[in-house]
Amino acid sequence: MFRSNTTWQMLPLVRIAVALIGGICIGEYLSIGLLPSVALALSALAVLIAWIAGRRRLVYAQSVMVILLTVLFGLSVMLIYKRTQRKALPDGIVGYEAVVASEPVVRGKVVMVDLLVASDGGEALLVRASILNDSLSEDCMGVQLGDGIIAYSELRLPESRGVAGFDYGLWLVRHGYNAQTFIWRDAWNKVSVNMNYLSLIQRVKLYALKNRKKMTDKLSSSLSDRSSMAVFMAMTLGDKSALTTDLKEEYSIAGASHVLALSGLHMGILYGFLIFFLRGQRRRWFAQFLLLTTIWTYVLLVGMAASILRAALMLTVFTVVRMVGRESHSANTLAFSAIVMLLANPSALFDAGFQMSFMAVLSILLFVPLLNGFMPALVRRYYILRKVWDLLAVSCAAQVFTAPIVAYYFGRFSTYFLLTNLLAIPCVTVVLCLSCVLFMLYWWDGAWGILIDILSVVMRLLNDALSWVASLPFASIEDLHPTVLQVFLLEILLFICWRICRMFTPH
């Protein structure tokens, strides 16, 4: 892919994405007091130099200035984002109206919930609230997604609290929270709230989450096995509220945590399922339009989770490029998706899900062709063997760039990831395909019951298989704690290894 300068020139978006990421990283560690106008002034200077270099046909100087311009632009975007996120908060205890923006989750004696709080500036503040629930009263548990409340508490800037090695305040900031608060049990009431202060995106997301809640409620009453129900809702609707700590630990040890988080894997299976049914359409543009409409309808159904938004965006770019008859380079498509996501929310770069999602796709793009070059002739001859090889190649490739990141965030490496994927991917494919039919027949109780019975069997098989893998000796290597610098250097080393292997691999 990157064998020559000519090929590298075919990947302009990759260069832009790398420079943008560099600028965002610099902006993250600079003081918020630095005026973005300084970076913008430097950007203007870089534009002028690039223009002069272009006029004098100094190609390399022009390229350097374009990269520098992109770095400065990323720096400016990050500084502006940090400044807009840091809202002025009132002093002391105040009364305010808010809309419940997430499913309430019980954490010991408090209920954790996201609130969209009306501010004096006419916009909504995203606040992480802890509501005291010491008596587990029905009043506190009566608050639901989409409810309006009036509360009295102190709104504070996000701050860290007692978890060693984890900066909770920084996590809140990077996930878009403007404040956090603690609300006493008797300091709030449900009321009717005018939601005009919510943005269009916030209203759409709230509507999507409400519809997902209706679906999860029906699934909860249909699936009798709690573990099967929890995994199914996480796998298909992105609702992890029913997952127990033991169940998540089993999946993590087995190396199947990606199964529980809606991601490119799930969207890729859905995309393939839809392509299979639409391949006979004579009007190609209509089939592609229907495909994209179905994908984004699913994004709405699962509550517009960031991970599924990334996958949907990449598939949309790929589909649109094909529709207009242009050659699509997968690396450029991946880079364009990253650029769009980072411009919308530059702090997403520091989210573990974002990093693992894009690094997994990049790793697959680089290493799968390399591994396929070693495919034995016997395997090439038989369809089933080729599919098994493809599954193993994708599983191995995805681990290359993501393993250091997993070790950094979770301190673990799952040794049986190949076995896990051989067992899990077929089950996930069946579950997702059947769930598509299940959701389309939501209104038909007879078909719903039959499909639920089939899904229950598949889910039990999946849970039992991964539980067995997690119980095997040396299923995971624990207590891995590389530093950020070590992770970065290891990724560079892996990339160099790929380049060396490409030099000796026939094409």
Side-chain angles (χ1 to χ4, degrees), residues 181 267 285 298 375 395:
T181 190
M267 189 59 79
W285 65 268
Y298 180 68
M375 185 184 295
S395 300

Side-chain angles (χ1 to χ4, degrees), residues 142-214:
V143 64
Q144 298 292 331
L145 175 70
D147 285 348
I149 68 169
I150 184 169
Y152 300 88
S153 66
E154 181 183 4
L155 300 178
R156 308 183 311 276
L157 291 175
E159 58 188 23
S160 299
R161 65 185 187 197
V163 180
F166 177 66
D167 192 332
Y168 181 69
L170 184 59
W171 182 90
L172 289 176
V173 170
R174 287 177 173 173
H175 285 77
Y177 291 91
N178 305 114
Q180 62 184 118
T181 190
F182 180 85
I183 305 174
W184 292 95
R185 184 164 57 89
D186 298 325
W188 69 276
N189 283 299
K190 284 204 293 186
V191 295
S192 178
V193 174
N194 188 336
M195 299 188 185
N196 289 335
Y197 67 92
L198 300 183
S199 67
L200 177 61
I201 293 178
Q202 289 169 337
R203 294 183 194 182
V204 170
K205 186 171 183 178
L206 199 58
Y207 173 78
L209 289 172
K210 285 182 179 179
N211 285 329
R212 188 183 75 168
K213 181 65 167 59
K214 294 177 183 178

Side-chain angles (χ1 to χ4, degrees), residues 37-50:
S37 56
V38 174
L40 291 176
L42 292 174
S43 299
L45 179 61
V47 170
L48 177 61
I49 296 174

Side-chain angles (χ1 to χ4, degrees), residues 3-25:
R3 278 182 77 88
S4 66
N5 290 332
T6 302
T7 307
W8 179 244
Q9 293 298 323
M10 294 172 59
L11 303 173
L13 292 180
V14 174
R15 290 178 289 164
I16 294 297
V18 171
L20 183 68
I21 289 171
I24 291 173
C25 289

Side-chain angles (χ1 to χ4, degrees), residues 32-159:
I32 195 172
L34 180 65
L35 292 177
S37 56
V38 174
L40 291 176
L42 292 174
S43 299
L45 179 61
V47 170
L48 177 61
I49 296 174
W51 179 76
I52 295 173
R55 295 277 294 181
R56 301 196 175 192
R57 298 188 179 182
L58 302 174
V59 179
Y60 287 104
Q62 187 179 29
S63 299
V64 170
M65 285 301 105
V66 170
I67 295 300
L68 176 60
L69 173 63
T70 308
V71 171
L72 292 171
F73 181 71
L75 168 63
S76 303
V77 168
M78 190 64 203
L79 290 175
I80 292 171
Y81 175 82
K82 287 165 68 175
R83 180 163 294 190
T84 56
Q85 283 297 108
R86 196 175 183 87
K87 305 291 185 182
L89 301 177
D91 295 327
I93 297 176
V94 294
Y96 53 85
E97 290 185 345
V99 176
V100 178
S102 69
E103 280 294 316
V105 177
V106 177
R107 292 278 190 268
K109 292 187 177 182
V110 299
V111 174
M112 305 295 297
V113 68
D114 293 342
L115 300 177
L116 290 170
V117 176
S119 68
D120 295 335
E123 58 183 344
L125 301 179
L126 182 58
V127 178
R128 187 62 169 170
S130 303
I131 304 176
L132 183 61
N133 190 35
D134 55 348
S135 61
L136 294 179
S137 64
E138 289 297 325
D139 290 338
C140 199
M141 290 306 298
V143 64
Q144 298 292 331
L145 175 70
D147 285 348
I149 68 169
I150 184 169
Y152 300 88
S153 66
E154 181 183 4
L155 300 178
R156 308 183 311 276
L157 291 175
E159 58 188 23

